[in-house]
Amino acid sequence: MTARACHSAGCGPRAALMALIAATAAALLSGPAAADPHPDASRVLSIGGSVTEIVYALGQQDRLVARDTTSNYPAEAQALPDIGYMRQLSAEGVLSVKPDLILAEDGAGPPETIALLKQAGIPFETIPPGTGPGGLADKITAVAEALGVPDTATAPVAALQADLDRLADISADPAQKKRVLFVLFATGGRITASGTGTEADAIIRMAGAENAVQGFEGYKPLTDEAITSAAPDIILTMRRGGAGAEIDAKAEDLLALPAISTTPAARNGAVISMDGLYLLGFGPRTGKAALDLHDAIYGTS
């Protein structure tokens, strides 16, 4: 039964979760829209932390000549020239490393820079986002196809499948799903949190928990009343790991905020903080990140 069919049939929380995980695993078998292969590209620029991780997972790192600021894993990637933050690229900075292929996460920009790079005749492949069912495998496969080495995707996709299988095994319905509030910003006592349709929402659901905020999509500031009403059991944050990891708040500081101090999370001192790229990057390690988040929420299995 699909997640949609399960919802229509009125399945319980456990059945719905298992349907979601099963749909993700099944969709691993479907392929993404094929990228143009570039097997002869020897000066590859990787833009986006997950794309860079995938290049390393495919064993193709020797072809990399540069990366963007968000590409801070694995540690060896940090030795590569840094051409700037993926959403604030300059054509001059990119062209200075003389790439013969650019692999970029969806959302790289600004648009005028991307247009200039394409006009310069540099092959530019946008890798599809990977937060939906099968999207992670699609992402890995798309990078392998673009590099002209499709067979190298087999091992990382199999490892991802194993993580998803493990997640399905341990995600048997807990007595009550934990409600998790992902805090992106905590500035001046004001909380900006994740609603639905975000990477944070996706990883929370993958880990077998419930996003405490459901009334909007994306990220937005919440009133104190909205946070009290959300009643999160756990506060989730990300640690700094490069540009785009906007929060590094201490647990005690978060729990002391008036809005959060009234929640079950504050009463139990429940704050989970994980590396931003690991938690929200949706790259080859995301299955493991979801397993780690599940264990942090519910206790090790």
Side-chain angles (χ1 to χ4, degrees):
M1 179 178 288
T2 66
R4 182 187 296 269
C6 183
H7 178 76
S8 299
C11 294
R14 177 182 180 181
L17 174 62
M18 298 301 287
L20 174 64
I21 294 173
T24 301
L28 286 170
L29 300 176
S30 64
D36 290 333
H38 303 275
D40 297 327
S42 61
R43 297 188 58 81
V44 179
L45 167 61
S46 179
I47 300 173
S50 68
V51 172
T52 301
E53 282 196 45
I54 292 169
V55 173
Y56 276 84
L58 298 174
Q60 299 297 304
Q61 60 269 25
D62 289 347
R63 298 166 68 178
L64 291 174
V65 294
R67 48 94 188 186
D68 78 309
T69 302
T70 70
S71 299
N72 54 52
Y73 182 90
E76 305 92 277
Q78 298 180 42
L80 293 167
D82 182 350
I83 50 87
Y85 179 46
M86 64 171 287
R87 300 187 192 279
Q88 299 173 354
L89 301 172
S90 72
E92 294 81 1
V94 171
L95 293 172
S96 70
V97 299
K98 300 178 180 178
D100 57 11
L101 173 63
I102 299 173
L103 302 178
E105 282 185 10
D106 186 52
E112 53 268 26
T113 295
I114 304 305
L116 284 172
L117 295 173
K118 291 180 178 180
Q119 289 172 12
I122 302 172
F124 191 106
E125 296 289 348
T126 298
I127 305 304
T131 57
L136 289 167
D138 288 354
K139 211 175 196 181
I140 294 168
T141 302
V143 174
E145 292 281 359
L147 290 170
V149 287
D151 291 347
T152 62
T154 302
V157 169
L160 173 62
Q161 176 71 71
D163 291 334
L164 290 174
D165 289 346
R166 175 63 179 151
L167 192 61
D169 288 342
I170 66 174
S171 291
D173 185 27
Q176 182 178 359
K177 272 190 178 181
K178 298 289 187 180
R179 295 172 58 81
V180 179
L181 177 69
F182 177 79
V183 176
L184 180 66
F185 296 114
T187 305
R190 192 74 183 272
I191 297 295
T192 296
S194 169
T196 60
T198 66
E199 290 86 352
D201 177 67
I203 198 71
I204 288 169
R205 290 186 292 108
M206 281 184 71
E210 178 182 352
N211 188 346
V213 180
Q214 299 287 327
F216 61 89
E217 292 188 358
Y219 298 94
K220 68 178 287 187
L222 299 183
T223 64
D224 290 1
E225 292 78 9
I227 294 173
T228 299
S229 177
D233 299 298
I234 293 166
I235 306 297
L236 176 62
T237 70
M238 61 181 179
R239 296 191 297 271
R240 293 184 185 276
E246 290 93 349
I247 186 167
D248 195 15
K250 293 181 180 178
E252 57 267 27
D253 294 337
L254 278 173
L255 297 178
L257 293 174
I260 291 179
S261 65
T262 64
T263 66
R267 289 196 292 272
N268 297 321
V271 175
I272 298 170
S273 182
M274 295 174 64
D275 175 76
L277 182 58
Y278 184 53
L279 180 68
L280 303 182
F282 279 83
R285 298 180 294 159
T286 292
K288 296 189 188 311
L291 286 166
D292 286 349
L293 181 56
H294 174 277
D295 287 350
I297 292 171
Y298 294 110
T300 54
S301 56

